[in-house]
Structures are given as structure tokens and as C-alpha cells.
Amino acid sequence: RTSMEGSTMPKSPKVEKGLKGTSDKRSDKDFIFGKLIGEGSFSSVYLAKDIHTDLEYAVKVCDKDHIRKEKKVEYIIREKDVMNILNSKQNPTAPFFVKLYYAFQGATKLYFVMTYCKYGELLNLIQRVGFFDRECTRFYTAEIVRALEHLHSLNIIHRDLKPENILLDEDMHIKITDFGCAKILTEDNVEAINDGRKRKSSFVGTAQYVSPELLDSKTCGPGSDLWALGCIIYQMVSGLPPFRSKSEYFIYQKILKLEYDFPDGFCEVAKDLVQKLLVIKSEDRLGAKDKESYPSIRAHPLFNGLDFEALHEITPPKVAPNL
Ligand SMILES: C[C@@H](Nc1nc2c(c3cc(-c4cn[nH]c4)ccc13)C(=O)N=C/C2=C\CC1CC1)C(C)(C)C
């Protein structure tokens, strides 16, 4: 609430507008909506400009009836809860996550005002250039590792990590988004994970990136995100994800049998890291036994000479077309 509210200030339109701009409440009237920038399963994301500050945001708009009918209310609430945790615990010097600025509702819609990531999805960038060279692969892999270290330190698992929801901000640093499928590990199931018992999960992510344990024992832990990281590194180097087939069913079969191979010329150092992440048993994946952060992953030769703590200060390497 502004301190001036209820004061004897003249209600001239200018002041009225000025007042409006300073209060923390927002409604859809405060934004000019622009182009559609992405479609989620139960939402559309628009580019929008705040009329008071001229700042650009990405606004996720959900239809209330549609969400109720499709019983997706818990996903919306989960996403908001996770983003509020991230907002309060976001590392200010290494903000690797899309920020939620405002959430409000209109007559029929819910609105979530978030960071606008000017250079869109990592998937789009990989497809545009074909594949990344070793410098870009190791830089963006390191940024994802840093983001996962932060996320997992808050006992949050993303569960649907993929190049579509790794976004690129105006400085070409990553911001991870789409936490509708995330899992917040509470004390009891953190123990369950730690002493090997697993957390039952009803949710399965996007076929190409889903981990074997999510498919066969319906369990999930931080290792599910490490598996997805392995798939994403493979995709940065080769341009395609490792497990591909004509249908989701056949993709699942390949994942469970670890049926994938490396194209000729695949960078040997990156290949070694992928092979240490795409391991069927989640507890045997590189980093799975690390207590704090992922020192075992940071120590991998792919990152030789890279200062993980200074990642956000480094100007990201130019992603040049390789086709
Ligand atoms: C993955 C996501 N795609 C996207 N989600 C967001 C974008 C975004 C931006 C571009 C873009 C920017 N310039 N050109 C394209 C392309 C796709 C985007 C953004 O800027 N800020 C927050 C976003 C999402 C936050 C909200 C989901 C929680 C889906 C497909 C789910 C909409």
C-alpha cells in the first residue's frame, strides 16, 4: 500500500496515474498486452508492457474454467509456491530463474507477471545454429549445473527440465522456467530419498527427457534433473536429444534399456560427462552422492579452467551457426 493512500492528495488524473504506479497492486488494466510468445499446456504467455514503468514482462494467462475443468488447479498453485520460494531465496548474483513479480486475477483469467527473456528458449537457439561448439556447450552446461545446485539446495526438483524451458535473458544468460510440474521435497521425503527409499510420483515429464525411475518405479529425486541434464548436453553437442523414436512409448522403451548412441565426431569430453549422467540407477549418476552443490560435476574435465562462481559475470560465448 502506498503511504499516500487516503491522504488529502488531489485526485487529478496525473496524480491518480502516479499513485497507481507506486502501489504494489496490479491488474490487467496496468499492462498493454503484445505478441503471444509461448503456449503452455494450460496457459498462454504474452509479451506485455507495464503502463506505469514501460517495463516489459512475460505474462502467463490461464483461463479459470479451463483449469478447473481439467483439474489443474494444483499445478498452478504448485508453480506459484515454487516461484515464491525462488523469489525469496533467489541468489541475487546468480538469478538463474524466471522471477514472478505479480499474480492477480480478472473475471475469468489468472495472470502471472514474470521476467521477459528476450532471447527465448534454448531449444530455439540450438535449432537455429544446429549444434553448439565445445565452448558454448560447457558454458551453458555450467549455468544449468549452477541453477540445479540452487534449486536442489532448496529441496525442489524441476521434473520437466528441457531446452524449451531453459530461457535466455537479454545478456544471453539462462533463466529456468515452467515449475508447474516441480516437486517440493518435504522433510519426510527428503529422508526417503537420502536413505534410498524413494518418493512416489504421479507425474511424468516430457518423453525425451524423462528419467528411467520416473517411468518404472514412479519415483523421483534430484537425480531426475541430472538425467535430463545429460540429455540436454547431448542435444547441445549433436542438435538432437539422445532418445528419439516415432512414439512416446518407443522412446520410453529406449530410455529403460539405455538404448542410444553417439554420432561420429561427438566431442569426447562431453561424451564422457553424458555417459556419467545417463545412468539407469539414479544414485550412480555423477553428482548423486554430493551433499552440497555438485563438486563431482564441477570437477569434470569439460569444465577445466571455468570459474563456476563467476559464471554470471562472464559474457556468454557467442553462439555461432555451425551448419
Ligand atoms: C516454455 C515457455 N515458453 C516461454 N516462456 C516464457 C518466456 C518465453 C519467451 C520467449 C521468447 C522471447 N522472445 N522471443 C521468444 C519464448 C518462449 C517463452 C519468457 O520470456 N518469460 C517467461 C516464460 C514462462 C513463464 C511461465 C511459464 C511459467 C512455455 C512454452 C511454457 C510458454
Side-chain angles (χ1 to χ4, degrees):
R1 288 269 154 272
T2 49
S3 56
M4 295 204 280
E5 204 133 38
S7 70
T8 54
M9 293 285 284
K11 289 282 182 226
S12 74
K14 189 131 179 57
V15 170
E16 185 61 26
K17 190 172 158 82
L19 259 184
K20 195 103 181 64
T22 52
S23 80
D24 58 2
K25 293 292 284 174
R26 280 286 191 283
S27 83
D28 55 333
K29 306 279 178 297
D30 294 305
F31 296 89
I32 296 171
F33 283 79
K35 66 175 180 174
L36 178 71
I37 49 179
E39 296 263 19
S41 26
F42 295 91
S43 63
S44 301
V45 179
Y46 295 90
L47 175 58
K49 184 173 279 194
D50 180 330
I51 58 174
H52 308 286
T53 63
D54 261 3
L55 288 174
E56 285 185 319
Y57 292 97
V59 182
K60 173 174 177 170
V61 184
C62 313
D63 182 89
K64 287 194 248 184
D65 289 342
H66 185 49
I67 288 169
R68 272 194 218 100
K69 245 195 328 266
E70 301 291 326
K71 299 188 177 32
K72 291 296 172 189
V73 174
E74 64 156 308
Y75 283 85
I76 300 294
I77 294 170
R78 171 98 45 74
E79 182 169 51
K80 204 159 94 75
D81 290 349
V82 167
M83 298 202 80
N84 284 335
I85 295 170
L86 284 172
N87 281 2
S88 62
K89 300 261 175 67
Q90 176 114 235
N91 179 340
T93 60
F96 290 115
F97 304 99
V98 161
K99 187 170 160 52
L100 173 64
Y101 292 89
Y102 309 102
F104 50 80
Q105 51 185 309
T108 62
K109 308 272 188 213
L110 296 177
Y111 299 87
F112 300 92
V113 180
M114 304 193 179
T115 316
Y116 172 56
C117 298
K118 190 174 158 205
Y119 292 109
E121 301 171 3
L122 177 66
L123 175 70
N124 188 285
L125 181 63
I126 296 172
Q127 289 171 337
R128 271 215 318 276
V129 301
F131 51 86
F132 284 3
D133 62 19
R134 177 169 161 166
E135 199 51 38
C136 292
T137 299
R138 90 192 198 124
F139 176 82
Y140 283 108
T141 302
E143 290 225 320
I144 300 169
V145 170
R146 277 292 307 274
L148 290 182
E149 287 178 334
H150 190 74
L151 197 65
H152 295 168
S153 73
L154 300 172
N155 286 324
I156 298 170
I157 310 168
H158 188 286
R159 295 202 300 182
D160 195 18
L161 194 64
K162 54 186 176 179
E164 289 92 320
N165 48 40
I166 298 172
L167 304 176
L168 294 151
D169 69 11
E170 63 207 348
D171 306 313
M172 286 296 278
H173 286 281
I174 67 159
K175 284 201 183 298
I176 294 180
T177 189
D178 210 357
F179 289 92
C181 318
K183 181 86 208 136
I184 304 172
L185 292 175
T186 51
E187 293 66 52
D188 67 304
N189 53 42
V190 171
E191 273 152 44
I193 298 286
N194 293 342
D195 57 27
R197 284 179 296 116
K198 293 274 188 203
R199 166 99 200 104
K200 285 295 169 201
S201 159
S202 57
F203 166 79
V204 163
T206 304
Q208 284 88 343
Y209 307 92
V210 77
S211 59
E213 64 272 14
L214 264 175
L215 288 174
D216 61 19
S217 55
K218 299 267 176 288
T219 59
C220 73
S224 305
D225 289 342
L226 296 179
W227 173 278
L229 174 64
C231 295
I232 295 167
I233 299 169
Y234 180 103
Q235 188 163 357
M236 284 194 261
V237 175
S238 73
L240 291 172
F243 302 101
R244 308 181 299 274
S245 183
K246 49 186 175 299
S247 77
E248 289 195 351
Y249 173 81
F250 288 110
I251 293 174
Y252 294 155
Q253 296 312 311
K254 289 187 170 183
I255 290 167
L256 290 166
K257 291 185 289 193
L258 202 59
E259 191 183 314
Y260 79 104
D261 46 32
F262 293 92
D264 293 345
F266 194 100
C267 165
E268 284 305 318
V269 180
K271 176 176 178 179
D272 181 72
L273 178 53
V274 169
Q275 288 173 321
K276 286 175 173 143
L277 291 167
L278 297 188
V279 171
I280 296 287
K281 282 178 68 183
S282 61
E283 53 271 25
D284 294 342
R285 284 170 207 151
L286 194 64
K289 295 185 173 60
D290 291 343
K291 286 281 159 277
E292 280 287 300
S293 301
Y294 287 119
S296 319
I297 300 179
R298 290 181 178 220
H300 190 276
L302 178 67
F303 306 113
N304 278 353
L306 194 70
D307 177 354
F308 270 79
E309 295 313 311
L311 270 183
H312 222 71
E313 284 64 56
I314 299 173
T315 304
K318 278 262 165 296
V319 179
N322 282 306
L323 282 181

